Amino acid sequence: MSKQPLLEVKDLKTSFQTERGSVTAVDGITFNVDKGEILGVVGESGCGKSVTSQSILRLLDENTAKYEGKIEFNGINLFKLSLGDVQAIRGNDIAMIFQDPLSSLNPVYTIGYQITEAIMLHQKVSKKEAYVKAIDMLRLTGIPAPEKRINEYPYQLSGGMQQRIMIAIALSCEPQLLIADEPTTALDVTIQAQILDLILNLNKKREMGVIFITHDLGVVAEVCTRVVVMYLGQIVEEADTENLFNNPLHPYTKGLIQSIPRLNSDRSKDLHVIEGTVPSLEDVPKGCRFAPRCPYADELCREKMPELKEYRGQKVRCWHTDKIVFKEEESHVSPNR
Ligand SMILES: Nc1ncnc2c1ncn2[C@@H]1O[C@H](COP(=O)(O)OP(=O)(O)O)[C@@H](O)[C@H]1O
Ligand SMILES: [Mg+2]
């Protein structure tokens, strides 16, 4: 019998009822997260990363959002549970952190109150024990002088500190799975690095599974073991991080990698950016969704949507993988051409 993954997302489809009809923001996504693994989810803004993470925890308004497919956490399908039961899992076995810490911190309560409340909600401990734990959590997230900080209000702290508080709250319930949706995007690089270290540490210490969502492939290279690349609501490539960077198969992935700023790059040269923009959900291309922006696209691509297929241990959704790989391998053999 094969090992059960911590989280299994299978054929997830999330649609919204809008004034102009129904739009499908996530269209048939399948991936697993194992215990102790950090899975990266990347793609430009608007590709459906946040809708995916919100769907996993059923955070969307179910009056307008409709889910199809399956989300299994430790073998339990979250779509089959009542919202109340999902709420019990949320912030307990599965925690989530967002880009904007202030949206999840309450301005009228002290940091200490918010963390101890979170701890007491999820663990059977006294107020005093919760307080001690809260200080521990703050220390663990690298907050200096936690005994002092615990009495302050969110507005008294910098953005980086607020983000750490939010992470401390999210992690104080010792989740099995952490969903981090662009948690460092709003932070400056030094604080970003510290937060990444923190997540990595907790992942190692507690074997916590992590879904790390970002539009920044540079961050993925640092923290993730495996990566899923999303484009317009679909997965276009999945690979181990090393393979993804050394051997990207999908033209979209190649474009993303070429767009990473490098310290040693020639600054006078423009960064390679993928031409065009992500199409709107009301105007989804009929064939391959990336075709309008793809340098390799031909008639077949514009007419027929490719499936996500295995290719040399990776998965890729492209009609021309053979051709592209062959061309590249050929040009490596004769570098003078
Ligand atoms: N509540 C909603 N109603 C209608 N469309 C939505 C809603 N939430 C998100 N979308 C659309 O779903 C698509 C994916 O959004 P999102 O998941 O936030 O992208 P990402 O996080 O990758 O930047 C976008 O086109 C967005 O406009
Ligand atoms: Mg997002």
Side-chain angles (χ1 to χ4, degrees):
M1 206 181 86
S2 69
K3 201 180 77 187
Q4 186 182 66
L6 180 61
L7 182 80
E8 187 179 352
V9 175
K10 189 133 200 294
D11 296 324
L12 172 68
K13 191 167 160 182
T14 305
S15 326
F16 295 104
Q17 220 43 256
T18 72
E19 284 160 12
R20 282 181 285 170
S22 164
V23 293
T24 302
V26 169
D27 199 359
I29 280 195
T30 296
F31 64 81
N32 289 347
V33 184
D34 288 327
K35 191 177 168 192
E37 175 182 46
I38 306 188
L39 176 76
V41 177
V42 296
E44 286 161 294
S45 177
C47 283
K49 305 182 298 296
S50 293
V51 172
T52 301
S53 63
Q54 289 162 332
S55 303
I56 293 171
L57 280 175
R58 283 179 62 187
L59 286 169
L60 297 163
D61 176 0
E62 296 187 10
N63 291 315
T64 53
K66 190 176 125 214
Y67 305 116
E68 287 165 71
K70 188 168 93 170
I71 305 278
E72 276 193 4
F73 179 66
N74 287 324
I76 296 164
N77 188 348
L78 302 187
F79 287 159
K80 292 264 158 76
L81 297 182
S82 69
L83 264 183
D85 286 342
V86 175
Q87 257 154 23
I89 291 174
R90 208 187 286 156
N92 199 0
D93 298 315
I94 308 179
M96 183 156 173
I97 51 179
F98 309 89
Q99 181 176 339
D100 176 15
L102 275 186
S103 68
S104 36
L105 291 174
N106 191 326
V108 303
Y109 293 115
T110 61
I111 301 306
Y113 179 83
Q114 296 185 57
I115 303 187
T116 46
E117 279 300 294
I119 292 171
M120 290 193 318
L121 191 65
H122 298 292
Q123 298 172 33
K124 289 194 171 56
V125 293
S126 69
K127 206 167 184 158
K128 214 166 147 194
E129 286 168 309
Y131 184 83
V132 173
K133 267 192 104 128
I135 300 221
D136 278 351
M137 274 321 291
L138 291 179
R139 192 169 288 121
L140 199 63
T141 53
I143 289 174
E147 301 83 355
K148 183 169 153 271
R149 290 297 185 184
I150 202 161
N151 297 315
E152 294 183 341
Y153 291 87
Y155 74 88
Q156 292 176 284
L157 304 168
S158 67
M161 283 294 170
Q162 289 166 1
Q163 189 72 337
R164 285 163 195 243
I165 303 287
M166 191 175 66
I167 293 173
I169 292 175
L171 298 175
S172 61
C173 55
E174 308 192 350
Q176 298 173 47
L177 177 68
L178 173 71
I179 304 177
D181 190 352
E182 312 241 10
T184 60
T185 302
L187 305 176
D188 74 50
V189 278
T190 17
I191 295 162
Q192 179 172 325
Q194 287 169 16
I195 300 280
L196 294 182
D197 269 355
L198 173 68
I199 292 175
L200 272 174
N201 251 325
L202 290 163
N203 153 264
K204 288 215 183 75
K205 255 188 225 154
R206 296 186 181 160
E207 284 205 288
M208 175 179 74
V210 181
I211 300 178
F212 197 96
I213 297 171
T214 176
H215 65 271
D216 185 344
L217 263 182
V219 171
V220 164
E222 272 177 61
V223 296
C224 300
T225 35
R226 203 155 48 85
V227 190
V228 158
V229 182
M230 282 186 72
Y231 188 76
L232 199 52
Q234 296 181 323
I235 291 177
V236 296
E237 181 157 3
E238 180 183 330
D240 290 342
T241 306
E242 218 185 301
N243 289 339
L244 192 90
F245 282 91
N246 293 337
N247 186 29
L249 293 175
H250 199 281
Y252 181 59
T253 317
K254 289 177 195 286
L256 287 179
I257 290 175
Q258 280 163 12
S259 312
I260 304 173
R262 274 166 238 276
L263 282 178
N264 56 1
S265 70
D266 179 356
R267 293 193 179 227
S268 61
K269 269 197 216 143
D270 273 350
L271 268 179
H272 173 96
V273 271
I274 307 162
E275 301 232 349
T277 50
V278 184
S280 113
L281 291 179
E282 277 147 26
D283 197 16
V284 173
K286 161 171 155 209
C288 170
R289 296 185 173 188
F290 187 60
R293 304 171 74 187
C294 181
Y296 302 95
D298 61 11
E299 216 33 50
L300 172 64
C301 307
R302 282 184 283 272
E303 285 303 315
K304 212 169 161 222
M305 185 170 79
E307 298 294 320
L308 189 67
K309 282 207 212 89
E310 292 267 351
Y311 192 96
R312 297 185 183 175
Q314 298 174 216
K315 284 184 193 155
V316 60
R317 187 190 287 278
C318 176
W319 287 119
H320 296 310
T321 309
D322 267 328
K323 198 170 86 189
I324 296 167
V325 168
F326 180 71
K327 212 168 123 199
E328 276 169 8
E329 284 175 351
E330 206 183 28
S331 70
H332 284 148
V333 177
S334 42
N336 293 335
R337 267 201 292 176

